[in-house]
């Protein structure tokens, strides 16, 4: 099982120095990957349609405040590392013009020597869609599919071409091309999202999902992938381990995972490995007060993970 970490992008950290320091230290410590996320804004009104409806009382957590742009963050991390995979968990294609986002990820894939993993989602914020999305929020699933179609063209051989009712890419040279194929991992929990994973993704990216639910869903995903004519084992899984348990999807009668001591968290990670998860990614930025504590936690969690695996 591999080990990754989310990079510090939000208001608690200095974008001039902390993200690059964290990426370097993660690589030096021995992590396999570093990951970034996307949040465009933090609404003042968090009532009604502006609520974070899937979790808790609907209030947006502080971790979503002033989040550094994921393309900028990936570029910065690529510039100061040589080995770690550079992942997104998640970027939201429905908030972007498809060609521009595909071209940006291709450029990072070229500049990094082929280390990019595109973790993608559809998004859920009314505020973000109103501010930035080329298509209405009701079409976010179609917008993600559209991006994947455009990316297939842009990341593939030249001449690249694509056409639908919104966009036309006449045969053209695009690039630079990624130095290696960019795997696509998709988040999501609903039936449509999981069906999309089974149909066309390299992997599933569960965020804040307990181990037992991850295992059951992954089994179903691989069966469905086989029904689509795919090798079921080609569907991989990287789990985002949401430390602190603030937004973990779990029934109130159960013990919320990813809480407690490092040893307890490693027990949960061991359960993830047992159900077929290929990589666990820790959200250290959610429990660190600043970059110094983030660095300390990097070492502590890596050492505990290696000790548990030995």
């Amino acid at each position: 099982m591999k080990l990754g970490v989310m990079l510090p992008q939000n208001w608690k950290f200095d974008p001039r120095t902390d993200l690059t320091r964290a990426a370097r230290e993660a690589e030096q410590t021995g992590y396999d990957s570093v990951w970034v996320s996307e949040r465009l804004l933090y609404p003042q009104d968090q009532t009604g349609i502006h609520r974070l409806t899937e979790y808790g009382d609907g209030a947006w957590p502080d971790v979503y405040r002033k989040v550094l742009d994921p393309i900028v963050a990936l570029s910065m991390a690529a510039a100061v590392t040589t080995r770690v995979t550079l992942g997104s968990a998640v970027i939201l294609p429905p908030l972007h013009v498809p060609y521009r986002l595909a071209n940006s990820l291709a450029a990072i894939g070229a500049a990094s020597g082929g280390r990019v993993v595109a973790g993608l989602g559809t998004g859920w914020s009314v505020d973000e869609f109103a501010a930035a999305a080329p298509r209405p929020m009701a079409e976010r699933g179609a917008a993600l599919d559209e991006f994947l179609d455009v990316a297939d063209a842009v990341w593939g051989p030249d001449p690249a071409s694509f056409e639908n009712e919104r966009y036309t890419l006449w045969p053209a040279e695009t690039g630079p091309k990624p130095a290696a194929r960019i795997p696509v991992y998709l988040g999501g929990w609903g039936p449509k999202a999981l069906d999309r994973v089974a149909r066309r993704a390299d992997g599933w990216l569960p965020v804040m999902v307990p181990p037992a639910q991850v295992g059951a869903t992954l089994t179903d995903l691989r069966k469905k992938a086989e029904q689509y004519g795919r090798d079921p084992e080609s569907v991989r899984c990287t789990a985002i381990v949401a430390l602190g348990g603030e937004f973990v999807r779990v029934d109130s009668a159960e013990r919320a995972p990813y809480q407690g001591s490092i040893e307890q968290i490693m027990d949960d990670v061991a359960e993830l490995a047992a159900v077929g998860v290929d990589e666990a990614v820790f959200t250290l930025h959610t429990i660190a007060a600043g970059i110094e504590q983030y660095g300390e936690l990097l070492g502590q969690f890596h050492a505990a993970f290696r000790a548990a695996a030995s």
Side-chain angles (χ1 to χ4, degrees), residues 40-302:
L40 290 188
L41 46 77
Y42 188 86
Q44 294 296 293
D45 181 1
Q46 298 183 11
T47 62
I49 62 170
H50 308 284
R51 296 172 66 246
L52 199 168
T53 55
E54 295 186 39
Y55 308 101
D57 62 2
W60 290 44
D62 277 354
V63 72
Y64 289 167
R65 293 173 55 204
K66 294 184 171 67
V67 175
L68 184 66
D69 178 89
I71 296 298
V72 173
L74 281 174
S75 301
M76 293 170 68
V80 298
T81 59
T82 60
R83 178 186 57 79
V84 288
T85 297
L86 308 163
S88 57
V90 291
I91 287 175
L92 306 171
L95 303 181
H96 298 262
V97 174
Y99 179 89
R100 293 293 298 171
L101 177 58
N103 209 40
S104 294
L105 288 170
I108 299 170
S112 67
R115 293 186 282 134
V116 172
V117 171
L120 310 173
T122 56
W124 50 262
S125 167
V126 170
D127 295 81
E128 290 180 334
F129 272 84
R135 296 174 65 167
M137 187 172 179
E139 298 177 12
R140 60 191 184 272
L144 177 53
D145 279 320
E146 179 178 65
F147 169 79
L148 294 175
D149 292 339
V150 172
D152 283 344
V154 173
W155 298 344
D158 287 334
S161 63
F162 174 82
E163 185 172 5
N164 68 6
E165 65 275 16
R166 266 166 296 277
Y167 302 106
T168 299
L169 171 60
W170 286 302
E173 293 183 9
T174 66
K177 300 292 186 180
R181 180 180 175 275
I182 297 178
V184 171
Y185 280 48
L186 299 178
W189 186 254
K192 290 182 179 179
L194 294 174
D195 183 74
R196 186 179 293 108
V197 175
R199 279 190 292 113
R200 62 185 312 180
D202 296 288
W204 180 42
L205 198 64
V207 180
M208 306 175 288
V209 182
Q213 290 176 263
V214 171
T217 304
L218 186 56
T219 297
D220 290 341
L221 276 174
R222 288 174 171 161
K223 288 179 180 177
K224 184 167 287 188
E226 190 169 25
Q227 293 169 3
Y228 281 116
R230 302 181 60 197
D231 176 2
E233 295 306 312
S234 69
V235 180
R236 313 288 285 176
C237 183
T238 292
I240 308 302
V241 177
L243 300 173
E246 187 176 6
F247 296 112
V248 172
R249 299 173 186 269
V250 65
D251 185 272
S252 59
E254 302 178 37
R255 180 187 77 83
Y258 319 131
Q259 298 189 66
S261 67
I262 292 181
E263 290 72 21
Q264 288 174 310
I265 293 166
M266 293 306 152
D267 288 342
D268 294 325
V269 171
E271 289 186 43
L272 290 172
V275 299
V277 172
D278 304 290
E279 183 166 16
V281 178
F282 293 133
T283 63
L284 298 185
H285 66 299
T286 64
I287 60 173
I291 191 59
E292 297 299 332
Q293 187 179 19
Y294 180 96
E296 294 171 1
L297 291 169
L298 274 177
Q300 292 170 9
F301 273 79
H302 185 269

